[in-house]
Amino acid sequence: MKKGILAVSFGTSHIDTMEKTIDVLEKEFAKTFEEAVVYRAFTSNMIIKKLKRTANIKVQTVGEALEKMAADGIEEVIVQPTHVINGIENDQMKADALSFRDRFSSIVFGNPLLTTEEDNQAIVRVVADEFRDMDPDTALVLMGHGTEHYANTVYAALDYRFKDTGHKNIFLGTVEAYPALDSLLRAADSFHPKKIVLAPFMIVAGDHAQNDLAGANPDSWMNRLSSEGYEVTPVLKGLGEYPQVRQILVEHVQQAMNASI
């Protein structure tokens, strides 16, 4: 049967970070799974419209992409999200995709980046390895997105796991939920770092990274931390730029394929 992989991302209007993350990941899917055709969909209608308006780039919604896959004769669909957690976007994406179940022989879903205990262990190792040369007196502050969905608990759990595995200088918070920056400020104060490195805990270094994390506005994390007297260095590198992170998602595709047999 003709297989297709639908790579589903929230999306970004920042083409530079998209080229370093989503584009590279989809190419790795195509290279690893030569028997499948790779398609793209974004879940953010706002980003889809902005890309069309500002860059004349057409990205399909999940429904549009599945319509195209059906028209192309795809019979087996593997939907692989690049979402970090099983939150609201992922729930809605699944509902949208399952409305097409009668159009294909099968639709199976790969897991978001952080789904299993093994995923959580792996991401701690990946981040710690990425910043292994950082001075131990420097704190690494990671900005996740955050959500009102119950899956948001993964952020606090990972923050604890960093400390529990010996990385006392790594702090993980969110821009839209808990732990928020105020919680991280209290934790950072108790650690007494000489310097702080800021980095996004998101697949792309898009709007949140460039504005909420390192923007010029007074409420950005960089300026809030600077106002507390810390020397702050932002590193605008999305998780999708880390080869080990992309490998986790490649493995999730393989697991979904294995489950469909």
Side-chain angles (χ1 to χ4, degrees):
M1 290 190 181
K2 193 173 179 183
K3 293 183 179 180
I5 297 170
L6 178 56
V8 180
S9 302
F10 178 81
T12 178
S13 60
H14 294 266
I15 297 170
D16 54 346
T17 188
M18 181 163 57
E19 290 173 342
K20 297 174 186 175
T21 55
I22 296 170
D23 287 6
V24 176
L25 178 62
E26 291 172 356
K27 288 174 183 175
E28 290 187 8
F29 287 167
K31 183 178 179 181
T32 306
F33 306 102
E34 295 180 349
E35 72 277 24
V37 183
V38 178
Y39 296 77
R40 168 184 293 181
F42 285 178
T43 56
S44 171
N45 287 317
M46 182 180 68
I47 287 174
I48 289 172
K49 291 175 182 177
K50 186 174 181 180
L51 282 171
K52 179 63 178 173
R53 183 179 71 252
T54 62
N56 199 30
I57 294 174
K58 170 62 177 172
V59 180
Q60 295 177 316
T61 64
V62 171
E64 290 169 345
L66 287 167
E67 287 282 5
K68 179 70 167 66
M69 294 172 83
D72 289 347
I74 298 296
E75 297 168 275
E76 295 182 353
V77 177
I78 299 94
V79 181
Q80 180 55 56
T82 70
H83 301 143
V84 174
I85 62 172
N86 287 274
I88 295 169
E89 292 289 326
N90 207 66
D91 286 348
Q92 185 60 55
M93 176 275 292
K94 282 188 172 183
D96 292 344
L98 286 173
S99 69
F100 286 81
R101 73 178 83 194
D102 294 338
R103 305 281 295 277
F104 302 96
S105 297
S106 66
I107 296 179
V108 295
F109 297 93
N111 288 329
L113 180 64
L114 301 179
T115 302
T116 66
E117 180 69 5
E118 290 74 18
D119 294 337
N120 294 342
Q121 291 171 355
I123 201 68
V124 167
R125 290 193 298 269
V126 169
V127 171
D129 183 62
E130 176 71 18
F131 293 92
R132 63 187 178 279
D133 296 329
M134 194 173 65
D135 189 294
D137 291 328
T138 297
L140 171 64
V141 174
L142 301 166
M143 174 193 274
H145 188 278
T147 174
E148 60 189 28
H149 193 280
Y150 63 84
N152 189 78
T153 55
V154 74
Y155 293 108
L158 280 176
D159 180 69
Y160 178 86
R161 186 183 287 270
F162 278 118
K163 314 296 189 302
D164 195 46
T165 52
H167 306 293
K168 308 294 186 185
N169 61 335
I170 299 180
F171 302 85
L172 172 59
T174 72
V175 68
E176 293 192 0
Y178 179 87
L181 180 57
D182 288 340
S183 298
L184 298 190
L185 277 169
R186 290 191 293 273
D189 283 343
S190 64
F191 179 71
H192 301 301
K194 293 181 179 178
K195 301 177 182 179
I196 290 179
V197 172
L198 275 177
F201 192 77
M202 306 174 191
I203 294 297
V204 300
D207 274 336
H208 284 301
Q210 300 190 31
N211 296 315
D212 298 308
L213 184 78
N217 66 83
D219 289 332
S220 74
W221 283 25
M222 182 175 69
N223 285 332
R224 287 277 307 278
L225 289 164
S226 295
S227 70
E228 296 289 327
Y230 296 111
E231 180 182 333
V232 183
T233 302
V235 177
L236 299 185
K237 182 176 180 178
L239 292 176
E241 293 184 55
Y242 303 1
Q244 306 100 310
V245 168
R246 296 195 301 271
Q247 183 57 36
I248 293 172
L249 292 170
V250 167
E251 290 169 2
H252 286 185
V253 174
Q254 186 63 66
Q255 290 160 6
M257 283 186 171
N258 293 345
S260 68
I261 296 173

